[in-house]
């Protein structure tokens, strides 16, 4: 907010790009703020899988509170960012547009935490989750509609534009800002400054696309949390899990019990001398080798 002060920017075609860059930077900040969710989720998976093996609770009973508890965090992140930057940078002064920007940034952060939580639940390790999470940030940023404008994307990459959560954040924020009354000054060819700015980035959507973006982000959040629940339900924990069996079954597998379940004294007595007779020989051999070396 100190780099892009409202006193240094005017409402014209040149500074419109600055406003759009500031909007995209806010989206990047809130997207990256969800990245620590990968480490937090991975660190809790070991305890969850122990509880699941012991049938303490189903996966949805863990996934739903995990999603709900992030709502206040997302509200705080979006509120702090919007409050500090909105009027200092000098976006459209209408209070309704301030609230709409706050709502969209809140949903972007909530979608981000849900996305990284899902990545961590599928990959289950800190190294893999960090690598794939970083790649996800790059892909979402590239296809978000600002780094590469939508008209500049090849046709076969158009799908990336519509699956990126930053796309809907960018559409909602830019429509909310550049369709405001102060950007309706006509400059050439019956085109306003706001429409020309949106057309240059391929974001010339109608005003109702703001609410479509809100719905898309809510839908992504729900789908990612469903995927998180499914991963916790069906995926096996990393590494070898310990099976819990009774002592009688263990002894039977070791060959120390008979079919009736009682200890087989003959096997125990015959195995014990065999072990005791071989172990001293190993110790004597090792002692002899070391003594011969040092003498």
């Amino acid at each position: 907010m100190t780099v892009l002060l409202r006193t240094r920017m005017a409402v014209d075609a040149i500074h419109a790009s600055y406003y759009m860059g500031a909007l995209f930077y806010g989206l990047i900040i809130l997207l990256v703020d969800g990245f620590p969710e990968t480490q937090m989720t991975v660190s809790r998976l070991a305890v969850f899988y122990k509880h699941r093996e012991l049938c303490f609770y189903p996966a949805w009973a863990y996934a739903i509170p995990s999603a709900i508890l992030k709502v206040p965090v997302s509200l705080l992140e979006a509120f702090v960012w919007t409050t500090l930057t909105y009027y200092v940078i000098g976006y459209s002064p209408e209070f309704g547009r301030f609230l709409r920007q706050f709502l969209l940034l809140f949903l972007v952060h909530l979608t981000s935490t849900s996305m990284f939580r899902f990545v961590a639940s599928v990959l289950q390790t800190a190294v893999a989750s960090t690598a794939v999470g970083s790649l996800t940030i790059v892909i979402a940023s590239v296809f978000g509609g600002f780094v590469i404008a939508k008209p500049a994307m090849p046709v076969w990459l158009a799908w990336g534009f519509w699956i990126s959560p930053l796309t809907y954040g960018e559409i909602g924020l830019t429509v909310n800002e550049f369709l405001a009354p102060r950007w309706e000054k006509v400059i050439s060819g019956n085109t306003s400054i706001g429409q020309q700015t949106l057309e240059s980035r391929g974001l010339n959507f109608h005003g109702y696309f703001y609410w479509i973006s809100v719905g898309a982000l809510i839908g992504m959040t729900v789908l990612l949390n469903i995927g998180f629940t499914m991963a916790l339900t069906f995926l096996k924990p990393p590494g070898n899990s310990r099976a819990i069996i009774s002592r009688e079954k263990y002894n039977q597998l070791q060959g120390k019990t008979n079919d009736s379940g009682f200890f087989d004294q003959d096997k125990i007595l015959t195995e014990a001398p065999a072990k005791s007779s071989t172990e001293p020989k190993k110790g004597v051999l090792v002692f002899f080798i070391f003594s011969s070396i040092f003498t």
Side-chain angles (χ1 to χ4, degrees), residues 127-141:
V127 176
S129 300
T130 302
V132 175
S134 302
L135 183 62
T136 303
I137 293 176
V138 173
I139 293 175
S141 303

Side-chain angles (χ1 to χ4, degrees), residues 26-252:
L27 290 174
I28 290 294
I29 288 295
L30 293 175
L31 176 71
V32 176
D33 279 349
F35 185 71
E37 187 69 17
T38 56
Q39 300 293 332
M40 297 174 64
T41 302
V42 169
S43 65
R44 296 167 181 167
L45 285 179
V47 177
F48 166 77
Y49 283 124
K50 289 181 181 179
H51 291 174
R52 191 187 71 174
E53 290 178 358
L54 296 173
C55 299
F56 280 7
Y57 45 76
W60 61 264
Y62 174 80
I64 293 177
S66 298
I68 294 175
L69 288 174
K70 290 299 175 181
V71 173
V73 178
S74 299
L75 283 172
L76 181 62
E77 293 266 0
F79 178 77
V80 170
W81 180 265
T82 309
T83 303
L84 291 178
T85 61
Y86 192 88
Y87 288 107
V88 179
I89 292 177
Y91 296 117
S92 297
E94 295 88 350
F95 185 68
R97 297 186 184 275
F98 168 84
L99 293 178
R100 285 196 287 269
Q101 186 178 123
F102 163 70
L103 174 62
L104 206 64
L105 292 178
F106 158 69
L107 292 175
V108 168
H109 188 270
L110 196 63
T111 305
S112 174
T113 55
S114 302
M115 178 176 63
F116 291 118
R117 193 185 308 118
F118 170 70
V119 170
S121 66
V122 172
L123 300 177
Q124 300 180 344
T125 59
V127 176
S129 300
T130 302
V132 175
S134 302
L135 183 62
T136 303
I137 293 176
V138 173
I139 293 175
S141 303
V142 169
F143 291 106
F146 182 82
V147 177
I148 301 177
K150 185 176 179 292
M153 291 184 185
V155 178
W156 56 275
L157 279 181
W159 58 269
F161 177 80
W162 295 110
I163 66 171
S164 172
L166 285 189
T167 295
Y168 300 98
E170 187 74 10
I171 290 175
L173 291 181
T174 53
V175 165
N176 181 58
E177 172 63 25
F178 291 102
L179 295 184
R182 69 171 188 163
W183 295 99
E184 291 181 353
K185 180 181 178 181
V186 179
I187 51 176
S188 62
N190 200 22
T191 302
S192 63
I193 300 175
Q195 290 177 345
Q196 184 184 31
T197 304
L198 293 175
E199 289 176 359
S200 65
R201 310 300 304 180
L203 300 173
N204 51 331
F205 297 97
H206 295 285
Y208 62 82
F209 266 84
Y210 171 85
W211 298 109
I212 293 178
S213 300
V214 169
L217 290 173
I218 294 175
M220 283 186 175
T221 302
V222 173
L223 288 177
L224 290 169
N225 281 291
I226 292 175
F228 175 58
T229 307
M230 300 293 286
L232 294 181
T233 303
F234 296 107
L235 293 183
K236 295 181 179 180
N240 296 323
S241 60
R242 296 181 178 179
I244 301 175
I245 61 175
S246 63
R247 185 182 297 275
E248 289 78 9
K249 183 65 176 178
Y250 174 76
N251 291 326
Q252 187 176 0

